[in-house]
């Protein structure tokens, strides 16, 4: 019963060397920050998908573009989705160039295209915020855990020099506490990698929807500019 208690996870962590404990503490902090980022990014992407779908439904119901543009200007920018921002940027630039250069269809469309491209890039930067940390956590955490494991195993074998007879019972606790660092490293890395891959794919899909909308919107503006 005592041996079982001594080999429990909590006992191994508490009896580990100071450096290994620091490694475990660092990995725990990375894991907490990673899970916080995972939940926040998941909620933000889900909300963005809802807003994008809602704006597409409004846009493709043959609504007057001028009225929609004026309605968006009266709304709070924080409540809009990325697609609404892209539309407002393109429509605003189109109307501005049409006033400055009436009849110049090429200038109108080029201005709208540049404005939508810049707005789309800003929205993509916002959507991708936090992903680099997940990528870093997923790639670095196993190596940090491995460092703690190597250090713990080194201490375990150095401790054998002080005993007359080397047995498994003598070296097992040191190796076990070292392997806990690897386990914690994997616990921090795996969710971060999975979340990064999933969110990166969903953001790429949103980017494709933004690009498709921009091209279709330019076609509509081209017909209206003539």
């Amino acid at each position: 019963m005592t041996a079982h208690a001594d080999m429990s996870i909590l006992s191994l962590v508490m009896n580990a060397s100071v450096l290994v404990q620091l490694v475990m503490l660092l990995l725990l902090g990375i894991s907490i920050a990673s899970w916080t980022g995972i939940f926040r990014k998941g909620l933000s992407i889900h909300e963005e998908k809802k807003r994008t779908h809602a704006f597409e439904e409004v846009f493709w119901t043959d609504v007057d573009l001028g009225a929609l543009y004026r309605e968006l200007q009266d709304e709070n920018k924080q409540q809009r989705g990325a697609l609404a921002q892209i539309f407002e940027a393109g429509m605003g630039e189109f109307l501005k160039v049409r006033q400055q250069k009436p009849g110049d269809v090429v200038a109108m469309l080029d201005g709208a295209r540049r404005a939508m491209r810049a707005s789309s890039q800003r929205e993509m930067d916002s959507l991708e915020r936090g992903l680099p940390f997940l990528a870093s956590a997923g790639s670095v955490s196993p190596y940090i855990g491995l460092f703690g494991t190597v250090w713990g195993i080194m201490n375990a074998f150095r401790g054998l020099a002080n005993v007359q007879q080397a047995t498994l019972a003598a070296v097992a606790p040191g190796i076990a506490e070292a392997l806990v660092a690897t386990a914690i490293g994997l616990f921090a890395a795996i969710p971060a990698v999975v979340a990064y891959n999933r969110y990166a794919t969903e953001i790429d899909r949103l980017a494709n929807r933004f690009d498709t909308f921009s091209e279709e919107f330019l076609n509509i503006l081209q017909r209206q500019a003539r």
Side-chain angles (χ1 to χ4, degrees):
M1 192 71 177
T2 305
H4 181 271
D6 291 340
M7 292 296 291
S8 65
I9 299 297
L10 182 59
S11 177
L12 292 174
V13 172
M14 296 302 296
N15 294 326
S17 63
V18 175
L19 183 59
V20 175
Q21 287 180 339
L22 290 176
V23 168
M24 293 178 182
L25 186 61
L26 175 61
L27 290 172
L28 181 61
I30 292 175
S31 180
I32 293 173
S34 177
W35 277 106
T36 302
I38 288 171
F39 284 118
R40 287 182 177 176
K41 182 56 61 179
L43 290 174
S44 66
I45 292 177
H46 177 70
E47 186 66 25
E48 185 55 52
K49 289 166 67 176
K50 286 175 55 180
R51 291 176 177 176
T52 297
H53 180 71
F55 181 80
E56 284 178 333
E57 285 189 338
V58 173
F59 182 84
W60 295 113
T61 54
D62 295 329
V63 68
D64 180 74
L65 296 183
L68 179 59
Y69 175 71
R70 291 189 293 273
E71 181 181 345
L72 287 176
Q73 286 186 312
D74 295 334
E75 289 184 358
N76 188 349
K77 287 189 176 184
Q78 294 181 350
Q79 297 177 352
R80 305 176 193 168
L83 204 58
Q85 297 280 71
I86 294 170
F87 164 79
E88 184 188 12
M91 190 69 183
E93 187 66 20
F94 176 80
L95 295 175
K96 185 186 299 183
V97 176
R98 187 167 67 177
Q99 289 181 350
Q100 296 173 351
K101 301 178 181 179
D104 193 343
V105 178
V106 175
M108 297 179 200
L109 296 180
D110 284 345
R113 181 181 292 106
R114 288 194 300 270
M116 286 192 292
R117 186 183 300 118
S119 178
S120 178
Q121 187 59 54
R122 286 194 297 270
E123 297 301 326
M124 290 303 301
D125 290 341
S126 178
L127 283 173
E128 292 174 350
R129 189 178 298 121
L131 285 186
F133 173 77
L134 293 180
S136 298
S139 60
V140 172
S141 294
Y143 294 104
I144 297 177
L146 183 60
F147 170 75
T149 298
V150 171
W151 186 268
I153 291 176
M154 286 172 54
N155 283 338
F157 280 104
R158 285 168 57 189
L160 291 179
N162 299 324
V163 298
Q164 297 294 330
Q165 184 177 3
T167 62
L168 182 60
V171 75
I175 294 178
E177 71 184 30
L179 292 176
V180 171
T182 297
I184 297 176
L186 294 176
F187 178 78
I190 292 174
V193 171
V194 172
Y196 173 83
N197 291 334
R198 178 181 176 182
Y199 293 159
T201 301
E202 292 184 353
I203 290 174
D204 286 342
R205 290 175 180 172
L206 283 172
N208 291 333
R209 291 174 70 175
F210 297 161
D211 292 341
T212 301
F213 171 82
S214 297
E215 293 299 323
E216 293 174 338
F217 182 42
L218 284 172
N219 291 335
I220 295 174
L221 291 178
Q222 185 176 15
R223 292 193 296 268
Q224 290 192 355
R226 294 175 180 176

